[in-house]
């Protein structure tokens, strides 16, 4: 009996490979997922804005789990592991025993401890639910920003353009874009390309606070400058 904690891309792939090899049906599989839907392609998440539907991003439909004898619990993260008795307990109180326990919980969006991050109009870029909330808020937003000039941050900036926001800014703490992947010259070329899209880049910027009365109206930086925005996506790492 194998319990898999996490129904992201890796949890799904584990199940897929195990049932392919388990031709004699020796294993019983139980999966717990925190999200309300089955595993989807998180790598191509930004394609949810316009190019692909959730069905096209889904790794396999719910029926695939049932057809392969996999018991799946969605919207129910595991909150306790008892290694002595070899059981797990979920948020909803389901207790399952196991012979083998697989942890495939993936990463979480890192949110810097900036005063004001809890305001309406501030989002992380991690799940389909995050994107749905962004889509809803973008209908009433005119100027958006992204904290994080890495790969996912730049995808998030493009997503804001796709959502119809004309004035988009990327705020990066480092002196260049994608500091882990490319050098200064590459960063300058990339910045020029993004400018052609209409994305404005702010480097060497440390956000001091997010301002607004319950809902974001701007970002104040440590150097004393300010950027007025009505939507912010945080993509500062995992």
């Amino acid at each position: 009996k194998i319990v898999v904690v996490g129904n992201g891309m890796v949890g799904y792939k584990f199940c897929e490979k195990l049932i392919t090899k388990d031709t004699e049906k020796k294993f019983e599989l139980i999966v717990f997922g925190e999200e309300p839907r089955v595993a989807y392609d998180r790598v191509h998440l930004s394609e949810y804005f316009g190019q692909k539907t959730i069905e096209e991003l889904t790794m396999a439909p719910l029926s695939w789990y049932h057809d392969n004898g996999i018991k799946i619990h969605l919207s129910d993260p595991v909150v306790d592991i008892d290694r002595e008795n070899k059981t797990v307990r979920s948020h909803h109180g389901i207790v399952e025993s196991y012979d083998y326990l697989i942890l495939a919980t993936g990463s979480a969006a890192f949110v810097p401890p900036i005063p004001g991050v809890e305001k309406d109009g501030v989002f992380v870029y991690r799940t389909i639910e995050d994107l749905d909330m962004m889509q809803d808020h973008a209908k009433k937003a005119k100027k958006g920003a992204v904290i994080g000039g890495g790969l996912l941050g730049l995808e998030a900036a493009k997503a804001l353009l796709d959502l119809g926001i004309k004035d988009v800014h990327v705020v990066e703490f480092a002196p260049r874009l994608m500091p882990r992947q490319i050098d200064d010259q590459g960063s300058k070329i990339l910045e020029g390309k993004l400018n052609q899209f209409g994305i404005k880049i702010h480097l060497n910027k440390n956000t001091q606070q997010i301002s607004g009365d319950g809902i974001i109206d701007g970002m104040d930086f440590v150097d004393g400058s300010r950027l007025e925005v009505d939507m912010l996506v945080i993509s500062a790492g995992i």
Side-chain angles (χ1 to χ4, degrees), residues 117 147 154:
V117 288
I147 291 180
L154 298 181

Side-chain angles (χ1 to χ4, degrees), residues 125-175:
Y125 193 75
R126 177 70 187 148
T127 69
I128 291 286
E129 280 61 46
D130 294 328
L131 270 59
D132 281 338
M133 289 189 291
M134 284 171 60
Q135 218 160 15
D136 193 49
H137 187 84
K139 292 169 187 168
K140 50 184 185 264
K142 292 192 172 80
K143 191 172 181 179
V146 176
I147 291 180
L151 201 54
L152 197 59
L154 298 181
E155 279 202 21
K158 175 64 167 60
L160 290 182
L161 286 179
D162 291 341
L163 284 170
I165 295 174
K166 301 283 190 281
D167 197 356
V168 176
H169 300 254
V170 171
V171 176
E172 170 56 50
F173 179 74

Side-chain angles (χ1 to χ4, degrees), residues 50-225:
Q51 296 100 312
K52 287 190 176 179
T53 63
I54 182 59
E55 288 75 24
E56 289 171 308
L57 288 171
T58 298
M59 308 292 285
L62 188 59
S63 58
W64 177 86
Y65 295 83
H66 297 151
D67 292 346
N68 286 288
I70 299 169
K71 190 197 290 186
I72 185 164
H73 303 285
L74 298 174
S75 296
D76 199 10
V78 166
V79 294
D80 184 68
I81 298 170
D82 182 344
R83 292 178 65 183
E84 199 172 316
N85 295 305
K86 297 182 94 169
T87 61
V88 298
R89 179 171 55 84
S90 76
H91 173 72
H92 291 305
I94 295 169
V95 176
E96 288 278 7
S97 62
Y98 65 84
D99 296 304
Y100 294 96
L101 179 63
I102 307 295
L103 299 180
T105 50
S107 57
F110 169 66
V111 179
I114 303 166
V117 288
E118 75 291 340
K119 295 186 191 298
D120 284 347
V122 181
F123 305 90
V124 291
Y125 193 75
R126 177 70 187 148
T127 69
I128 291 286
E129 280 61 46
D130 294 328
L131 270 59
D132 281 338
M133 289 189 291
M134 284 171 60
Q135 218 160 15
D136 193 49
H137 187 84
K139 292 169 187 168
K140 50 184 185 264
K142 292 192 172 80
K143 191 172 181 179
V146 176
I147 291 180
L151 201 54
L152 197 59
L154 298 181
E155 279 202 21
K158 175 64 167 60
L160 290 182
L161 286 179
D162 291 341
L163 284 170
I165 295 174
K166 301 283 190 281
D167 197 356
V168 176
H169 300 254
V170 171
V171 176
E172 170 56 50
F173 179 74
R176 66 173 187 258
L177 291 173
M178 290 178 62
R180 293 184 183 184
Q181 291 93 351
I182 55 179
D183 58 15
D184 283 338
Q185 192 175 358
S187 177
K188 286 186 177 70
I189 293 168
L190 178 60
E191 188 174 342
K193 292 287 183 189
L194 292 168
N195 289 159
Q196 288 173 19
F197 277 121
I199 298 171
K200 301 165 190 74
I201 310 298
H202 306 264
L203 302 172
N204 290 305
K205 287 288 184 185
N206 188 1
T207 308
Q208 187 171 44
Q209 69 166 1
I210 296 162
S211 64
D213 185 14
I215 183 167
I216 183 173
D217 66 11
M219 303 165 66
D220 296 316
F221 301 110
V222 172
D223 63 9
S225 61

